[in-house]
Amino acid sequence: MEENNELIKSTVEYTDDNIRHLDDMEHIRVRSGMYIGRLGDGQQSDDGIYVLLKEVMDNSIDEFKMGAGKKIEVTIEDDLRVSIRDYGRGIPQGKLIEAVSKLNTGGKYDSKAFKKSVGLNGVGLKAVNALSSRFEVASFRDGKMRRATFERGQLISDIAEDSTEENGTAIFFEPDDTLFVNYKFQNQFVETLLRNYTYLNTGLTFIYNGQKILSRHGLEDLLKDNMTSEGLYDIVHLKGEDIEIAFTHTNQYGEEYYSFVNGQHTTQGGTHQSALKEHIARTIKEFYNKNQEYADIRNGIVAAIALDVEEPMFESQTKTKLGSNNMWPAIPQENKSAGPTINKYVGDFIKTEVDNYLHKNPIVAETMLQKIQESEKERKAIAGVTKLARERAKKANLHNRKLRDCRFHLNDVKGNKQEETCIFITEGDSASGSITKSRDVNTQAVFSLRGKPLNSYGLTKKVVYENEEFNLLQAALNIEDGMEGLRYNKVIVATDADVDGMHIRLLMITFFLQFFPDLIKKGHVYILQTPLFRVRNRKKGVYETIYCYTDEERLAAIEKLGPNPEITRFKGLGEISPDEFKNFIGADMRLERVRLRKDDLVKELLEFYMGKNTMERQNFIIDNLVVEEDITKEE
């Protein structure tokens, strides 16, 4: 052992040469995760290219919030190159270069200029600059223009001249495809981002690739555009200084929340969303003066809150969760004490405004009470089953029976890897075994189904506790009391690409839509795409292999590999060896997110596809029937 230690000492040197200094742009490129989170290719809404877009947008939004510019033009060319033009005050030209290339440089440290801004850390545009193959910024101010062009963060030109353009800032960027490999901007993610900005900034208009996007009713429009179940009463929409809320109840299970700070969509909530949940339940309970459970009051609620906070503190640069405790900070030199806590500020507003609204609108109050009483009745009806099911879930040795957990949740992995965690829901032991042997044990878990799950359409939540598989899955996900406890960022349904596999997908999606719709709405549910074909040909004694996910890819592979290739049609996940499976659930894993659109009313959707076998559905199946040919032999 001593000899080994001596060998290590002699072979590993630590000298001055090991000490490196990275300039700002190089540091962002080397440590991009610190600034934008994941890189990605644009297939997921949290991929880095959308963070870059948002960082630019935040600056334009801040201009609007300060009363400068009511229109922002956004153009994305070929899904690759982005141009954004606002009509605010324009970045001060004397510091234009520093503002987009020097970390910790910006105008938002001065709260007099930007009192309630999102971009406070002096990082945003620098990250966009450093992570783009080409970045251009132009500032137009009072008849003068200054334009700077960069490549991968390095300045290549700087021009100043007279201009007749309106005041404002124009940004162009093209993400670096050596970092964001094969990326493309997806229209639905961009449009959702822009619509969220308009809900929080009534009076602001986006021109997105020629399409006008605006909102006239703020959070009320947001709920209307996102609800997939009818509201039981008209949306309650209340505004105050620095606060706006909207809510209604539906007949869906669970709770659904949207929260914003200074126009920033805080997808992971934070102190303001927690305050909304707490005080809306408390105020409603005190209004009725009945011994109601908060869970019954909130069951079926769909609500949104927008708050303006001075110098907000977020838990990461991507600003998805608010960590601030106060509405504004203490400023000792100005003898200004810290503002009220966010919890108190939100609580005082809700206590006054919601209570007043319910007194003035007795029909809404009666409808709300009926909903709460129905939730209470159902909860009590299944109380005995629920207690037994919880005990059964605790006693069940999940790690050996159904769930093969990841080390992140077994406390073997240090650091914050929650966003990287996922759980595969598989059918049968064969597929489960292949994925288990191939997975990244640090962040990927596997839950094995036994055959086809129950069709839960039309059933009450009692079935979640009576059905062993549903009960254990709910316990594994930790979502019984809401999405805040969700243990995995992605819930991935991994089934065979055959009729039975498709049926299991539908049954699982039905289960989530019935009882946990917010799991789908918040983008946590995915379908694993595995290759349908393996096409390979021997060249010079070595196989060249291409995995194909579609018929089009198969035909292209045949053309590329030459005549008489060997073609394998994968019928089931269990047929794919663990060594091959690693290729499909690693860095290049293909996932299809399960989505709900505004027009997808859950009740009607499930009734058509999962309800009684109606002639209408039979005709739909006949009209859309596709017969698969046998193409597994050599071509």
Side-chain angles (χ1 to χ4, degrees):
M1 180 65 71
E2 291 180 2
E3 290 180 0
N4 289 339
N5 288 338
E6 289 300 321
L7 179 62
I8 292 172
K9 290 178 183 177
S10 64
T11 56
V12 179
E13 294 185 359
Y14 183 49
T15 68
D16 290 346
D17 294 335
N18 297 112
I19 307 298
R20 291 182 61 199
H21 171 73
L22 302 180
D23 64 33
D24 290 347
M25 296 291 98
E26 188 179 5
H27 189 270
I28 294 172
R29 290 180 63 83
V30 171
R31 294 287 183 263
S32 59
M34 292 177 56
Y35 298 93
I36 66 165
R38 54 180 287 141
L39 290 170
D41 61 2
Q43 295 300 312
Q44 316 298 334
S45 60
D46 58 350
D47 282 349
I49 60 172
Y50 302 111
V51 179
L52 300 186
L53 175 61
K54 187 171 67 63
E55 291 290 359
V56 178
M57 292 303 314
D58 284 346
N59 290 322
S60 296
I61 295 298
D62 286 337
E63 285 295 305
F64 170 81
K65 292 176 78 69
M66 296 302 293
K70 295 184 178 180
K71 179 177 68 173
I72 301 173
E73 297 164 352
V74 181
T75 303
I76 300 183
E77 182 183 356
D78 298 329
D79 301 324
L80 300 172
R81 295 172 289 278
V82 181
S83 298
I84 297 173
R85 172 69 156 98
D86 69 38
Y87 295 88
R89 293 166 292 182
I91 299 173
Q93 295 177 358
K95 294 288 185 178
L96 182 67
I97 304 296
E98 292 87 342
V100 299
S101 63
K102 298 294 184 184
L103 287 177
N104 307 314
T105 303
K108 297 169 190 177
Y109 299 110
D110 180 0
S111 61
K112 293 178 182 178
F114 290 90
K115 291 190 68 176
K116 289 158 186 172
S117 167
V118 170
L120 292 172
N121 299 324
V123 171
L125 286 182
K126 293 78 169 175
V128 183
N129 184 358
L131 301 175
S132 296
S133 56
R134 187 174 180 86
F135 176 89
E136 298 178 7
V137 56
S139 171
F140 305 95
R141 287 174 69 103
D142 304 325
K144 300 291 184 181
M145 185 274 291
R146 186 179 182 187
R147 183 189 307 276
T149 303
F150 297 77
E151 290 183 354
R152 295 179 173 85
Q154 302 305 308
L155 181 66
I156 60 172
S157 71
D158 179 13
I159 300 170
E161 58 190 24
D162 292 337
S163 172
T164 58
E165 288 253 12
E166 289 185 55
N167 284 2
T169 301
I171 300 283
F172 168 89
F173 71 94
E174 183 172 0
D176 187 346
D177 60 7
T178 65
L179 300 173
F180 306 94
V181 180
N182 297 323
Y183 78 90
K184 279 195 173 183
F185 284 93
Q186 302 294 319
N187 178 69
Q188 68 267 25
F189 297 144
V190 176
E191 190 168 327
T192 296
L193 175 67
L194 300 184
R195 288 195 182 280
N196 283 340
Y197 278 124
T198 64
Y199 299 136
L200 278 298
N201 298 280
T202 53
L204 172 65
T205 298
F206 282 104
I207 308 298
Y208 171 46
N209 286 352
Q211 172 191 2
K212 185 179 290 187
I213 299 176
L214 72 162
S215 169
R216 302 188 188 280
H217 305 291
L219 293 186
E220 182 179 345
D221 288 340
L222 180 145
L223 293 193
K224 287 179 178 178
D225 288 347
N226 285 277
M227 286 169 55
T228 53
S229 294
E230 292 288 345
L232 299 180
Y233 51 86
D234 289 343
I235 293 171
V236 179
H237 187 201
L238 304 168
K239 290 184 177 182
E241 184 178 358
D242 296 331
I243 187 172
E244 178 183 356
I245 68 169
F247 68 92
T248 187
H249 278 83
T250 71
N251 275 325
Q252 71 184 27
Y253 286 100
E255 307 167 32
E256 186 175 331
Y257 298 99
Y258 301 86
S259 61
F260 301 83
V261 173
N262 297 8
Q264 166 67 35
H265 188 192
T266 43
T267 54
Q268 295 184 25
T271 52
H272 57 325
Q273 182 170 302
S274 298
L276 170 68
K277 290 181 59 177
E278 173 190 345
H279 291 288
I280 204 164
R282 178 177 296 170
T283 299
I284 291 171
K285 179 177 180 177
E286 291 175 355
F287 173 81
Y288 294 117
N289 195 25
K290 297 179 183 293
N291 188 27
Q292 299 163 328
E293 296 280 346
Y294 283 171
D296 297 330
I297 294 172
R298 293 196 296 245
N299 184 39
I301 197 169
V302 182
I305 181 170
L307 205 63
D308 283 339
V309 178
E310 267 191 51
E311 300 187 16
M313 295 177 60
F314 296 95
E315 294 193 3
S316 70
Q317 170 59 21
T318 51
K319 310 182 185 85
T320 55
K321 188 173 183 179
L322 179 67
S324 294
N325 292 316
N326 293 319
M327 286 295 292
W328 59 79
I331 306 178
Q333 62 269 29
E334 295 183 14
N335 221 9
K336 178 182 176 183
S337 61
T341 65
I342 285 175
N343 186 284
K344 184 178 188 309
Y345 188 86
V346 172
D348 289 348
F349 175 80
I350 289 176
K351 169 63 179 173
T352 300
E353 298 300 327
V354 173
D355 185 74
N356 287 345
Y357 185 92
L358 293 176
H359 276 99
K360 294 177 181 178
N361 295 272
I363 295 177
V364 171
E366 179 61 28
T367 304
M368 187 185 295
L369 180 59
Q370 289 176 5
K371 168 62 179 174
I372 295 169
Q373 290 173 336
E374 289 170 6
S375 297
E376 182 180 37
K377 183 179 179 181
E378 182 177 354
R379 176 181 56 80
K380 289 180 177 179
I382 65 173
V385 177
T386 303
K387 183 177 180 181
L388 290 173
R390 284 173 177 166
E391 292 174 354
R392 194 164 64 240
K394 287 180 181 178
K395 291 178 181 178
N397 189 346
L398 289 175
H399 303 300
N400 291 330
R401 294 186 58 200
K402 309 292 290 183
L403 175 68
R404 295 171 178 85
D405 213 345
C406 57
R407 287 178 178 169
F408 176 78
H409 288 304
L410 296 175
N411 299 317
D412 288 340
V413 174
K414 306 299 182 183
N416 182 18
K417 287 184 173 286
Q418 174 65 28
E419 290 188 2
E420 299 176 29
T421 58
C422 65
I423 182 170
F424 296 100
I425 301 175
T426 67
E427 52 172 318
D429 294 334
S430 179
S432 175
S434 291
I435 293 182
T436 299
K437 293 174 183 177
S438 309
R439 65 180 175 139
D440 178 349
V441 295
N442 291 320
T443 57
Q444 294 179 331
V446 182
F447 185 93
S448 179
L449 297 170
R450 185 179 65 250
K452 291 184 180 179
L454 179 69
N455 181 359
S456 59
Y457 171 68
L459 303 179
T460 68
K461 202 167 187 179
K462 184 178 180 182
V463 74
V464 178
Y465 300 96
E466 289 181 327
N467 182 277
E468 182 182 31
E469 293 214 317
F470 288 162
N471 183 37
L472 295 179
L473 177 58
Q474 175 184 254
L477 298 178
N478 194 34
I479 53 177
E480 179 182 3
D481 297 322
M483 292 303 106
E484 288 83 356
L486 181 64
R487 300 174 76 237
Y488 309 96
N489 189 40
K490 290 185 174 66
V491 179
I492 303 170
V493 181
T495 62
D496 293 342
D498 57 15
V499 173
D500 286 340
M502 299 297 175
H503 192 197
I504 292 173
R505 289 184 191 180
L506 287 176
L507 292 169
M508 289 310 306
I509 292 171
T510 299
F511 170 70
F512 291 133
L513 284 174
Q514 278 275 99
F515 304 114
F516 306 101
D518 209 22
L519 197 66
I520 291 178
K521 286 192 174 184
K522 292 301 174 66
H524 294 293
V525 180
Y526 294 82
I527 303 296
L528 176 66
Q529 301 295 313
T530 52
L532 296 175
F533 309 100
R534 179 183 61 207
V535 182
R536 63 182 182 180
N537 217 341
R538 187 186 292 272
K539 293 184 178 182
K540 296 181 181 180
V542 178
Y543 274 114
E544 183 175 353
T545 303
I546 299 176
Y547 295 100
C548 309
Y549 291 76
T550 64
D551 275 325
E552 291 76 15
E553 291 184 13
R554 175 182 62 87
L555 294 174
I558 293 171
E559 183 177 349
K560 179 179 180 180
L561 295 182
N564 302 319
E566 175 190 311
I567 302 174
T568 302
R569 169 67 159 92
F570 294 119
K571 296 292 185 181
L573 302 186
E575 295 180 2
I576 306 175
S577 70
D579 286 341
E580 284 185 295
F581 223 119
K582 288 181 179 179
N583 300 316
F584 315 136
I585 60 173
D588 297 325
M589 177 166 55
R590 293 197 192 186
L591 297 175
E592 181 180 352
R593 178 179 160 187
V594 180
R595 303 180 185 282
L596 275 178
R597 300 168 300 181
K598 177 183 177 182
D599 298 332
D600 291 333
L601 294 176
V602 172
K603 181 180 178 182
E604 291 79 359
L605 192 73
L606 291 178
E607 185 174 7
F608 179 81
Y609 288 104
M610 306 304 292
K612 293 181 179 179
N613 190 14
T614 63
M615 183 58 66
E616 183 183 8
R617 190 169 73 195
Q618 290 181 32
N619 291 335
F620 174 84
I621 293 172
I622 292 170
D623 293 341
N624 292 274
L625 185 65
V626 176
V627 179
E628 185 180 280
E629 299 177 8
D630 182 7
I631 50 178
T632 58
K633 51 183 179 289
E634 291 184 356
E635 300 191 8

